[in-house]
Amino acid sequence: PDPVLRREAVNALGAMPADAPDTVPQLAGALGADSDPSVRAAAALALSKLTPHSAPAVEALTAALRDPSLAVRYQAAVALMK
């Protein structure tokens, strides 16, 4: 699918209630595996909004600190600081 559609899907997941089942694992998966940096950055931003429920994604967020994209690294760092 189009990266814009994937990013919008990630944004929609981030707007779900923080305790919605599978939200955090889906966002962590997008953060770790999506080919588009804007989707990965959106996933990290969404995870930052879901704290403390995003605790299971700490490993994915920590790995994202080594992402080639500055935006992804920044959003991951923000999420980890919360």
Side-chain angles (χ1 to χ4, degrees), residues 10 25 41-42 63 68:
V10 163

Side-chain angles (χ1 to χ4, degrees), residues 11-27 45-57:
N11 290 336
L13 280 173
M16 299 284 289
D19 60 350
D22 297 326
T23 300
V24 170
Q26 291 292 327
L27 289 169
L45 175 61
L47 286 165
S48 75
K49 295 177 182 178
L50 297 176
T51 55
H53 298 283
S54 61

Side-chain angles (χ1 to χ4, degrees), residues 24-74:
V24 170
Q26 291 292 327
L27 289 169
L31 174 60
D34 199 278
S35 61
D36 188 271
S38 70
V39 175
R40 296 192 308 272
L45 175 61
L47 286 165
S48 75
K49 295 177 182 178
L50 297 176
T51 55
H53 298 283
S54 61
V58 166
E59 186 176 325
L61 287 163
T62 302
L65 294 174
R66 295 183 300 278
D67 195 278
S69 167
L70 175 61
V72 175
R73 293 191 310 267
Y74 175 80

